[in-house]
Amino acid sequence: MTRSIRGSRRSALLLAGLATSGLLLTGCSAGQVAETAGTVPSVQGVNVASKNGDFAVRSLLIAYPGVDGYQAGDDANLDVVLYNDSPDRVIVTVTTEDARDIVLSDPHAPLGEGSSTTTTETEAPAGGPTQVAVPPLSYVQLNSETSTVLRLIGLNTPLHVGEAIFVTFDFGGTTIRAAAPVSVPLSPATPPEPIIERHTGFEELEDGHGGAGGAGH
């Protein structure tokens, strides 16, 4: 199912971090029942946790696409940190309705290339949905600072700064559905340089003499 109505995506940003029934929007205080509670990535993004605090999605955002944004069919890196404050290992299944697929990939590979299926802490069965294994009382970081990132393959519609798409994270039965916004640049885009016409200050007269020479007649 595709989500092609631009208005719904703008609404998604306003509702960024909204979870499904039984979930609670939280900030840095999520997960205060375990050692991971004090570990919060210092990056921008949406933070959402389950009501009981066992699971959390933090720093969720789509990499900045440049001033032209993403076009329909483009790929985009999806940054996220998945927290597991429960005593058991959990497999997180990641899906979205706003792109053709989600895969695990090298964050530094060119978009459209370099997809991978497994790493030490992640799992993606061939032909199945992307899955990430998170150890108990721990977290898995998937962004440009690590060797693996989630990559959205084939966006259904254009996407620009100020818009978002919904991504679903299933923590083995506990589901968090959150709006992933497009990241904003750390500094404003450089404006184009103005076109400046340069003049010598001399105008050629009808008789072929320059203005300075004509002054002597």
Side-chain angles (χ1 to χ4, degrees):
M1 179 183 298
T2 61
R3 188 183 301 275
S4 59
I5 300 176
R6 178 67 58 84
S8 64
R9 184 169 284 118
R10 291 195 177 95
S11 299
L13 183 61
L14 298 177
L15 297 174
L18 181 64
T20 54
S21 178
L23 302 176
L24 178 66
L25 178 65
T26 64
C28 299
S29 61
Q32 296 295 332
V33 296
E35 289 85 347
T36 59
T39 308
V40 179
S42 58
V43 294
Q44 60 176 314
V46 167
N47 300 325
V48 188
S50 60
K51 187 175 182 179
N52 61 8
D54 282 351
F55 310 112
V57 172
R58 290 179 177 167
S59 304
L60 176 65
L61 79 164
I62 300 170
Y64 176 59
V67 294
D68 295 329
Y70 294 106
Q71 302 303 311
D74 284 353
D75 300 345
N77 287 343
L78 181 69
D79 293 351
V80 69
V81 185
L82 303 175
Y83 282 79
N84 176 18
D85 281 345
S86 76
D88 302 312
R89 178 176 179 266
V90 65
I91 301 297
V92 184
T93 302
V94 188
T95 57
T96 183
E97 298 178 352
D98 292 304
R100 187 176 73 251
D101 199 3
I102 296 181
V103 300
L104 295 168
S105 178
D106 179 352
H108 305 293
L111 292 178
E113 300 179 9
S115 61
S116 62
T117 56
T118 60
T119 67
T120 302
E121 296 179 316
T122 56
E123 299 179 359
T130 294
Q131 295 183 324
V132 182
V134 186
L137 304 178
S138 186
Y139 65 93
V140 170
Q141 185 171 334
L142 300 170
N143 54 33
S144 58
E145 299 179 5
T146 63
S147 60
T148 308
V149 70
L150 290 169
R151 181 164 292 179
L152 299 163
I153 303 298
L155 292 170
N156 293 340
T157 59
L159 193 61
H160 301 85
V161 172
E163 298 178 335
I165 67 171
F166 280 105
V167 182
T168 300
F169 301 87
D170 185 350
F171 290 78
T174 299
T175 301
I176 296 177
R177 185 171 183 261
V182 177
S183 175
V184 299
L186 298 179
S187 59
T190 303
E193 295 185 0
I195 298 176
I196 301 176
E197 295 183 1
R198 301 185 182 277
H199 301 279
T200 61
F202 294 93
E203 295 181 358
E204 187 173 344
L205 301 179
E206 292 182 1
D207 59 1
H209 297 285
H217 293 289

